[in-house]
Amino acid sequence: MNKSKLNVAIIGLGTVGSGVIKLLKRQKNNIKNRTGIELELVAISAKNKRKKRSIDISPYRWIASPITIARDPDVDVIVELIGDMDNTARKVIKEAINNGKHIVTANKSLLAKEGSSFEELAKKKSVFLRYEAAVAGGIPIIKVLQDSLIVNKISKLYGVINGTCNFILTKMEAEGREYTDVFSEAQQLGYVESDPRLDIGGIDSAHKLALLSCLAFGTSLDLKGVKTEGIDHISIEDIDEAHLIGYKIKLLATAEYQKKLLRQEVSPKLIRKDSPIAQVNGSTNIIAIEGEEIGTTIFSGPGAGMGPTASSVVSDLVAIASRKSKSTFLNGDKNFSGKRDKTLTKESSFYLRFVLKDKPGVIARLSGKLGSCGISINQMKQKPLPKQKATLIMTTHKTVRKNLEKALNDIRRLKICEQRPVSIEIEEI
Ligand code: HSE
């Protein structure tokens, strides 16, 4: 790549793609001054040429087929922003790498599943594969893990990495509204992915966490090892009860690597109100990293949106132009043989909510099952409901999740619950 111009093609012209075009135009001279290299947009492609967009695409060469762009000899780098709805992105990335083109992508779900094979191919073809925009929008967390913290032995990272869920939980809390109501609003605002399960089911966070943890710990990508739970069972009552005991509910992504055991988890957690994690509202993301040299370092900022995500995409282009880029993201310990800790042996307290039949002996039977699994109740309150039902809210003393899951299964079998019990770990961070 010994030339003063880098020819760029963008595939996918949604919000982020349009933002990248705007930014490339606005920053053209600045980038040239700083790197000595001109980023030239030489081709664009998207599903629908006529779709209404916030930019004028007429000055750019339109190529209908993304695969044709991937083979175009005039293109040096492909910016892939088409998402993971069908197989197109995968084919385009492979074809482009095979044709010697660098890749910049924001495709978190595809990378979380196939990043390793892209990496191998990119290495073989000596091209760069960059994906700063795939995790936490405008927060430059990939570069931080690849470069800035490289001499740190990282033991833990955690944070809020799905803006949609954080928006929903924050609004529920601030406005006292139920989940379904706020979810509809988030959908109307265009926050929710086209497959909503990705957001509210915790899957989007799991994709991002898998990418972050392999960078942080030098392990291989292990999406299947991420224990994943979403937020759609959280009610305003849970949020209010958490508030009363000094906590907020956040969808927390956590990865820990200790004694060769990797624990990756995405699930709602009660977080103490004064924790920096609990201060993050709306669609903002936050990531805390615990490193041997730096202690705990926290990064917070916009996790999505046109400007922040485009900023990350263009920063990858500039890195390629400046040839500062590593070719791959899996730059860790290739001989990693650590075990995946899926059993979650960590001890925690839990918040529990049951809706029960209000009959004599019900609480005795329920607490008996907790007791026989070694679980001790810390606080408990009952709230009467119509039709001889009652809500029982409690927090437990510390226990391992395995014990709690056994107790909840046993309680369900007693047929005293009117709905599935809600259990949320209390995370003291
Ligand atoms: N659906 C994602 C989120 C978009 O809500 O965070 C950014 O990756």
Side-chain angles (χ1 to χ4, degrees):
M1 199 176 54
N2 254 340
K3 51 185 192 174
S4 57
K5 220 166 83 179
L6 190 69
N7 285 346
V8 177
I10 301 177
I11 304 177
L13 296 173
T15 309
V16 179
S18 304
V20 172
I21 293 185
K22 282 185 194 170
L23 201 50
L24 282 177
K25 204 170 156 193
R26 221 168 41 236
Q27 288 288 324
K28 197 176 176 116
N29 291 338
N30 186 22
I31 292 168
K32 192 170 179 194
N33 290 342
R34 286 185 166 211
T35 64
I37 291 183
E38 203 174 321
L39 294 180
E40 179 82 18
L41 183 54
V42 294
I44 54 171
S45 180
K47 240 185 193 159
N48 180 359
K49 190 176 179 181
R50 270 172 275 279
K51 187 178 144 183
K52 208 166 172 280
R53 295 186 167 87
S54 61
I55 42 153
D56 173 18
I57 57 167
S58 62
Y60 308 106
R61 182 163 63 112
W62 176 272
I63 300 180
S65 154
I67 289 290
T68 307
I69 294 202
R71 294 176 185 145
D72 191 319
D74 198 32
V75 172
D76 299 312
V77 48
I78 299 277
V79 177
E80 182 279 305
L81 299 169
I82 48 185
D84 193 21
M85 294 302 277
D86 53 28
N87 218 3
T88 313
R90 187 177 159 276
K91 282 192 208 142
V92 165
I93 290 177
K94 291 222 157 167
E95 189 66 22
I97 298 177
N98 273 324
N99 281 277
K101 301 187 193 320
H102 308 291
I103 303 291
V104 173
T105 175
N107 204 325
K108 52 214 167 171
S109 61
L110 186 60
L111 284 172
K113 288 175 231 153
E114 304 214 28
S116 311
S117 73
F118 293 157
E119 172 196 55
E120 256 172 53
L121 195 58
K123 263 202 170 148
K124 211 163 94 189
K125 295 285 176 181
S126 303
V127 296
F128 301 141
L129 167 65
R130 297 196 61 102
Y131 56 101
E132 186 61 71
V135 181
I139 307 175
I141 195 69
I142 304 294
K143 286 182 195 76
V144 162
L145 290 170
Q146 281 182 326
D147 297 327
S148 321
L149 299 184
I150 200 70
V151 295
N152 278 266
K153 187 167 176 246
I154 295 169
S155 54
K156 183 171 180 178
L157 71 87
Y158 54 91
V160 170
I161 49 178
N162 182 276
T164 304
C165 288
N166 205 45
F167 170 84
I168 292 173
L169 292 171
T170 310
K171 270 240 150 174
M172 284 171 71
E173 185 188 4
E175 297 172 12
R177 288 161 62 196
E178 270 302 351
Y179 167 80
T180 40
D181 185 23
V182 183
F183 171 76
S184 306
E185 184 182 337
Q187 240 176 351
Q188 277 157 24
L189 287 168
Y191 287 2
V192 184
E193 303 267 349
S194 36
D195 174 1
R197 291 295 314 160
L198 289 174
D199 285 320
I200 53 138
I203 302 162
D204 175 73
S205 294
H207 291 148
K208 294 167 179 167
L209 185 69
L211 293 171
L212 291 180
S213 49
C214 81
L215 285 173
F217 310 125
T219 56
S220 46
L221 265 172
D222 185 22
L223 179 62
K224 290 202 175 99
V226 186
K227 186 178 183 296
T228 308
E229 187 189 327
I231 61 159
D232 51 354
H233 57 297
I234 306 289
S235 73
I236 183 62
E237 188 172 21
D238 298 320
I239 289 176
D240 289 344
E241 290 295 337
H243 175 75
L244 288 176
I245 54 172
Y247 292 88
K248 289 192 181 197
I249 298 181
K250 295 283 178 195
L251 182 67
L252 195 76
T254 314
E256 258 181 287
Y257 188 48
Q258 273 160 17
K259 297 182 189 148
K260 288 264 170 200
L261 276 184
L262 176 65
R263 183 177 75 86
Q264 300 179 95
E265 186 187 1
V266 171
S267 61
K269 296 277 166 77
L270 262 68
I271 312 277
R272 203 171 276 291
K273 274 184 204 163
D274 57 9
S275 157
I277 303 293
Q279 314 301 318
V280 170
N281 294 322
S283 59
T284 304
N285 283 192
I286 185 165
I287 299 161
I289 298 174
E290 291 179 7
E292 204 167 41
E293 311 303 327
I294 49 152
T296 302
T297 306
I298 297 180
F299 304 84
S300 175
M306 180 188 270
T309 314
S311 157
S312 287
V313 169
V314 177
S315 80
D316 278 344
L317 290 171
V318 171
I320 292 173
S322 324
R323 278 160 284 175
K324 273 192 289 185
S325 169
K326 289 182 170 56
S327 61
T328 62
F329 61 97
L330 302 176
N331 54 349
D333 175 12
K334 289 279 174 237
N335 302 317
F336 164 70
S337 62
K339 293 192 179 77
R340 272 75 174 142
D341 175 16
K342 291 168 191 159
T343 55
L344 301 177
T345 47
K346 186 178 101 174
E347 288 215 317
S348 300
S349 299
F350 287 85
Y351 159 93
L352 305 176
R353 174 168 59 87
F354 301 93
V355 177
L356 301 167
K357 295 184 197 309
D358 192 356
K359 280 205 247 165
V362 162
I363 290 185
R365 294 172 72 201
L366 184 147
S367 57
K369 290 293 179 199
L370 290 173
S372 58
C373 290
I375 298 167
S376 173
I377 296 168
N378 182 13
Q379 293 180 33
M380 183 165 85
K381 82 170 165 200
Q382 179 174 310
K383 299 191 284 186
L385 291 171
K387 298 189 187 153
Q388 275 201 301
K389 292 182 206 163
T391 300
L392 190 68
I393 307 278
M394 64 173 71
T395 56
T396 70
H397 286 294
K398 285 197 171 175
T399 182
V400 290
R401 188 186 280 271
K402 205 169 57 177
N403 290 356
L404 182 79
E405 279 171 6
K406 174 162 187 337
L408 292 178
N409 273 333
D410 291 350
I411 290 166
R412 273 200 294 269
R413 275 199 288 272
L414 292 176
K415 305 228 178 309
I416 54 172
C417 298
E418 290 286 329
Q419 62 187 54
R420 204 183 160 81
V422 172
S423 64
I424 310 175
E425 188 179 337
I426 302 177
E427 182 89 38
E428 301 296 347
I429 46 175

